[in-house]
Amino acid sequence: SQQGEEDPQALSIQEGENATMNCSYKTSINNLQWYRQNSGRGLVHLILIRSNEREKHSGRLRVTLDTSKKSSSLLITASRAADTASYFCATDDTGFQKLVFGTGTRLLVSP
Amino acid sequence: DTAVSQTPKYLVTQMGNDKSIKCEQNLGHDTMYWYKQDSKKFLKIMFSYNNKELIINETVPNRFSPKSPDKAHLNLHINSLELGDSAVYFCASSPGQVKGTQYFGPGTRLLVL
């Protein structure tokens, strides 16, 4: 399967703590994206990192990419209850004309 | 204004029926997609259209037939519904590049009884 894997599958933290989730993929990529999905809603794009970038920031989000290890991480700093959602990575496999989504990490931030 | 909209939001139907889901985007994007998300939250692409032309057709049963009357609309018709078709179906769009940032609709929750 081309599908990437995310780790952990589920993460439970307190408000104010940092949340880190990881994504591993299997093939060569041009870019990697992270999306958020709130319960019962569609996915929302968070950030895109290109294969020649190692780190990218957007507000409280920090994304890293290690193409040699075929892995990426998403760090959410100072988490809030509103960050409770599922987070998915998506890779653009250079061999295929589509995005391949990871299995997702369910994040629960308790007040 | 909703960027990517889908109707209906919920769809409950009997096995063997035929149903359609509609999708519209007002973002002016060239590319539209249908995804299926199963009960384990796995999200897989089904179809992609660029300017009304089919460019991706994953291994989807031919009971599923997409139709794009214009580049702002991509509908999904499903014949002879089966229990395994129960899932959430998402429409999405992107500006041109298939593998760029995608904008998702709210989803249609299909339950086949």
Side-chain angles (χ1 to χ4, degrees):
Chain A
S1 166
Q2 305 148 20
Q3 194 156 32
E5 288 195 9
E6 296 185 56
D7 166 57
Q9 288 189 346
L11 180 60
S12 185
I13 59 174
Q14 300 288 318
E15 261 191 330
E17 293 180 341
N18 294 343
T20 299
M21 49 206 91
N22 304 295
C23 167
S24 60
Y25 56 92
K26 298 177 182 178
T27 60
S28 297
I29 63 171
N30 292 315
N31 67 61
L32 184 145
Q33 304 177 46
W34 285 90
Y35 288 79
R36 183 188 73 229
Q37 183 180 29
N38 290 88
S39 180
R41 310 289 281 273
L43 280 74
V44 174
H45 179 258
L46 294 175
I47 196 165
L48 181 152
I49 185 166
R50 301 193 188 284
S51 60
N52 61 355
E53 297 176 308
R54 290 296 166 258
E55 189 170 311
K56 200 161 182 180
H57 296 254
S58 176
R60 292 183 298 112
L61 306 180
R62 181 173 80 101
V63 169
T64 62
L65 178 64
D66 186 335
T67 53
S68 66
K69 295 182 180 177
K70 291 186 167 52
S71 69
S72 174
S73 68
L74 170 67
L75 167 67
I76 305 174
T77 60
S79 63
R80 305 166 182 168
D83 295 327
T84 294
S86 292
Y87 292 82
F88 295 87
C89 65
T91 53
D92 75 327
D93 192 320
T94 56
F96 298 91
Q97 286 296 314
K98 63 182 180 182
L99 285 184
V100 177
F101 284 82
T103 50
T105 292
R106 284 191 303 280
L107 173 65
L108 173 63
V109 182
S110 302
Chain B
D1 282 343
T2 305
V4 182
S5 59
Q6 295 177 228
T7 54
K9 189 169 183 180
Y10 299 97
L11 192 49
V12 181
T13 188
Q14 299 288 328
M15 260 195 325
N17 283 351
D18 302 339
K19 290 293 177 186
S20 291
I21 307 171
K22 295 187 175 183
C23 177
E24 176 181 0
Q25 55 96 3
N26 62 7
L27 297 167
H29 290 167
D30 293 327
T31 310
M32 296 184 72
Y33 314 81
W34 277 111
Y35 286 88
K36 178 180 180 181
Q37 186 174 46
D38 64 21
S39 58
K40 293 184 179 179
K41 300 285 191 184
F42 293 153
L43 191 70
K44 295 193 77 171
I45 191 165
M46 301 172 69
F47 301 102
S48 174
Y49 271 73
N50 181 268
N51 279 319
K52 301 194 299 174
E53 289 195 18
L54 182 66
I55 54 173
I56 294 174
N57 184 349
E58 288 289 288
T59 47
V60 176
N62 58 14
R63 298 181 295 104
F64 290 78
S65 53
K67 279 199 172 65
S68 182
D70 56 61
K71 78 172 196 175
H73 295 85
L74 180 61
N75 304 323
L76 183 65
H77 188 75
I78 316 170
N79 289 326
S80 303
L81 278 155
E82 300 177 358
L83 294 177
D85 297 332
S86 295
V88 183
Y89 292 84
F90 287 100
C91 177
S93 71
S94 67
Q97 189 181 3
V98 171
K99 298 189 280 187
T101 300
Q102 298 189 5
Y103 296 78
F104 283 77
T108 295
R109 284 140 193 85
L110 171 65
L111 178 59
V112 182
L113 303 173

